Amino acid sequence: MLQIKDLQVHYGGIHALRGISLEVPDGKIISLIGANGAGKSTTLKAIMGLVPKTSGTILYDKKDITESKTKDIVKDGLILTPEGRRVFPDLTVDENITLGAYVRKDKDGIAKDRKWVFELFPRLEERKWQAAGTLSGGEQQMLAVARSLMGRPKLLMMDEPSLGLAPLIVKNIFGIIKEINQAGVNVLLIEQNAKAALEISDYGYVMETGVVTLSGTGKDLLVNDRVKKAYLGE
Ligand code: ATP
């Protein structure tokens, strides 16, 4: 379980996180929703040790990782799939996938997970030898997720996995996120597509300008008037 307490982050004079507290219990899908600039990406980056924190604590399985280095956080099983499908365009799909396992030494486990990600994304197996830069946007997004899974995350954090994808592929991606969670991976999800995110989430947090203003089960937030108006376009 991930526990964040009173996390604050400044970028120079910008107070991006003003005391965020949230939890990701084992076995669950948790989503963060909120407008552009609310601080969602910053929250994930702070967890991964990618931005300096002003104050607050981050515990993972009761271990204090607030000041841990990113590479040690990855070794503890926390993995971030960043926004914008950052695949290596000149490497093949297969090479990108192999790179996702770079911190691991368990050859058998790696082979097993490679088989699993190709089962999750048959498209990628068909395009194994193709340069990643020649894939469609949706395929690159799948590759970014597949590569993250090769690190064998205990907690997978995803920043806008559905951004810019066609509706049919969006549906597919959310189905796969559920499948990944059912395979035992905890998920912390950031989404502009609040409806689809809340539909698969056990619990959600709404962020506005650096604070959590509302939280509840995915079901409750989907019928909450404020959420409906501000984020579901109803
Ligand atoms: P988006 O969905 O647009 O990414 P977000 O909710 O993830 O939004 P953040 O990217 O976390 O929001 O940004 C929170 C605030 O911090 C914003 O005001 C943003 O302009 C600012 N910010 C983010 N990154 C930096 C940076 N590297 N330097 C300075 N300010 C930053």
Side-chain angles (χ1 to χ4, degrees), residues 4-168:
I4 300 179
K5 271 200 206 116
D6 208 20
L7 182 64
Q8 302 212 33
V9 170
H10 289 79
Y11 295 108
I14 297 170
H15 199 174
L17 298 186
R18 302 162 181 263
I20 298 288
S21 298
L22 59 88
E23 289 187 354
V24 185
D26 285 340
K28 307 285 188 208
I29 301 179
I30 308 297
S31 58
L32 290 184
I33 61 173
N36 284 327
K40 305 177 301 294
S41 301
T42 299
T43 304
L44 299 194
K45 286 180 195 156
I47 296 168
M48 292 305 294
L50 295 167
V51 293
K53 301 155 198 88
T54 318
S55 62
T57 52
I58 303 174
L59 301 182
Y60 187 68
D61 282 347
K62 302 207 174 98
K63 177 180 169 187
D64 191 334
I65 59 164
T66 316
E67 299 302 330
S68 297
K69 293 212 172 78
T70 303
K71 73 170 188 338
D72 295 322
I73 295 172
V74 171
K75 277 191 190 144
D76 282 337
L78 287 82
I79 291 184
L80 170 66
T81 310
E83 189 180 340
R85 322 158 187 159
R86 299 218 195 110
V87 298
F88 297 101
D90 299 329
L91 300 183
T92 64
V93 168
D94 201 55
E95 287 164 338
N96 268 278
I97 285 179
T98 302
L99 273 175
Y102 77 102
V103 292
R104 298 172 61 182
K105 302 227 155 49
D106 56 321
K107 273 202 178 138
D108 292 350
I110 293 172
K112 219 169 122 201
D113 286 344
R114 175 188 294 275
K115 210 170 146 239
W116 177 49
V117 299
F118 281 138
E119 275 164 24
L120 282 175
F121 303 106
R123 255 292 156 115
L124 296 181
E125 183 158 36
E126 287 163 29
R127 281 145 213 266
K128 217 156 63 169
W129 310 116
Q130 201 168 313
T134 65
L135 297 176
S136 75
E139 290 161 353
Q140 288 188 34
Q141 186 63 58
M142 290 174 192
L143 180 56
V145 175
R147 194 181 57 194
S148 300
L149 290 175
M150 289 303 293
R152 189 172 281 191
K154 289 188 200 144
L155 171 66
L156 179 63
M157 291 177 271
M158 290 191 246
D159 194 344
E160 303 276 2
S162 81
L163 195 72
L165 302 183
L168 203 66

Side-chain angles (χ1 to χ4, degrees), residues 168-184:
L168 203 66
I169 301 166
V170 171
K171 227 175 138 200
N172 191 358
I173 287 263
F174 282 99
I176 286 167
I177 294 170
K178 251 182 117 168
E179 221 174 300
I180 290 168
N181 175 249
Q182 280 158 1

